[in-house]
Amino acid sequence: MMTKKTKSAAILGFLVSAFVGSSCVNEKHGNDPAAAEQTEQSANSETSIPYDLSRPEKFNMPQNLFEISGITFYKGDSKTIYAIQDEDGDLFNLALGDKSSKFTKFGGSGDYEDLAIIDDHFIVLKSNGELHTFPMKGIDQPEASNVVKTKDLVPKAEYEGLATDEEAGMVYILDKEVKKGKADGNTIYAFKFDGGKFTPGATTTLSFKEIGKLAGESKMKFRPSALTKNPLTGEWYIISSINKLLVVTDADFKIKATAPLKGDNFNQPEGIAFDKAGNLYISNEGGTLAAGNVLKFSLKK
């Protein structure tokens, strides 16, 4: 039979053990409110994106699109995808699943990164910020007609992201990396497109700190590959091949969510587009054992 004295000692021992155990659990999880907040934010960001990024429908590209870069659709029609690859000035068009593609030449050899459509014109971005603009009419010919080169629209830097908002008549160019100086974020340059002319508008910055906070990384230098606008929500979707990351912003480029591009599906994500039904497409350059491809992510019902 336990005396009052031994009973008190037992209770005290139990309380001490419970306290130590609780301390060990807190220590195991880092006992860091900031880290816990980042983890929670990252998890919430992933779940807020209405696509299962682990379950794509894959379309392998023909050999001449092994190094597929930018992709786009005309008015969101997914029957035909338009694409470029980053070494030659050729604009390709094909149906997803085709084993061959047609193309028209719009320029010589170069580092071509992205493309977009506005006002029945194609715009192609080179890594130095130079644009090639030409009408869609006549792209069934061997060479594109009336190609206009536009230089010095943006400061010297490395560029990979180009997108348009056809309803607003706007063109957006997103830098990948500033060659000189220490930038604390990526800059988006806006231009009004009218009659083939580009009139400068406002600039916007995507903060490394804000992206890193949502992605759960304390030190983040975002290196975006491409961007596009979701036609159903007005949100912007931005991918980075280097960071293996998807970033979602609102219509004014305020950062809302991030999601990692995990697994073998994302060999080198370089292009992004939406169709008019809101399905998401991401293109990947080929690798040692893989062809270039386009991944389709259906909008969750």
Side-chain angles (χ1 to χ4, degrees), residues 51-57 260-263 265-266 295-297 300:
Y51 303 92
D52 185 346
L53 297 177
S54 67
R55 297 171 62 89
E57 183 180 359
L261 301 177
K262 300 176 182 177
N265 287 322
F266 300 101
L295 306 177
K296 177 183 177 180
F297 302 92
K300 292 178 182 177

Side-chain angles (χ1 to χ4, degrees), residues 104-106 138-139 141-145:
T104 185
K105 182 165 288 295
F106 64 84
I139 61 165
Q141 301 300 313
E143 291 193 23
S145 59

Side-chain angles (χ1 to χ4, degrees), residues 56 81 112 188 258 270 289:
I81 189 167
Y112 300 98
I188 301 169
T258 65
E270 295 282 351
L289 300 174

Side-chain angles (χ1 to χ4, degrees), residues 155-258:
K156 289 184 178 180
E158 185 177 357
Y159 296 89
E160 288 196 5
L162 172 74
T164 58
D165 182 343
E166 289 216 68
E167 289 187 5
M170 298 298 294
V171 176
Y172 299 91
I173 301 174
L174 172 60
D175 67 27
K176 177 183 180 182
E177 187 169 11
V178 178
K179 295 181 179 179
K180 294 182 180 180
K182 294 183 178 180
D184 57 2
N186 304 104
T187 303
I188 301 169
Y189 300 91
F191 300 89
K192 185 72 174 180
F193 184 84
D194 185 17
K197 296 182 179 180
F198 299 88
T199 303
T203 60
T204 309
T205 299
L206 298 177
S207 166
F208 292 154
K209 185 176 180 180
E210 290 182 28
I211 295 172
K213 185 177 180 181
L214 282 177
E217 295 185 24
S218 57
K219 294 183 178 181
M220 164 71 75
K221 283 192 174 182
F222 191 53
R223 298 291 181 263
S225 310
L227 75 161
T228 192
K229 192 170 188 178
N230 186 324
L232 302 185
T233 66
E235 296 170 318
W236 290 95
Y237 278 54
I238 306 165
I239 55 169
S240 170
S241 179
I242 292 175
N243 303 103
K244 289 291 193 291
L245 190 68
L246 169 67
V247 172
V248 181
T249 79
D250 67 10
D252 298 316
F253 295 106
K254 182 178 179 181
I255 298 163
K256 295 177 62 178
T258 65

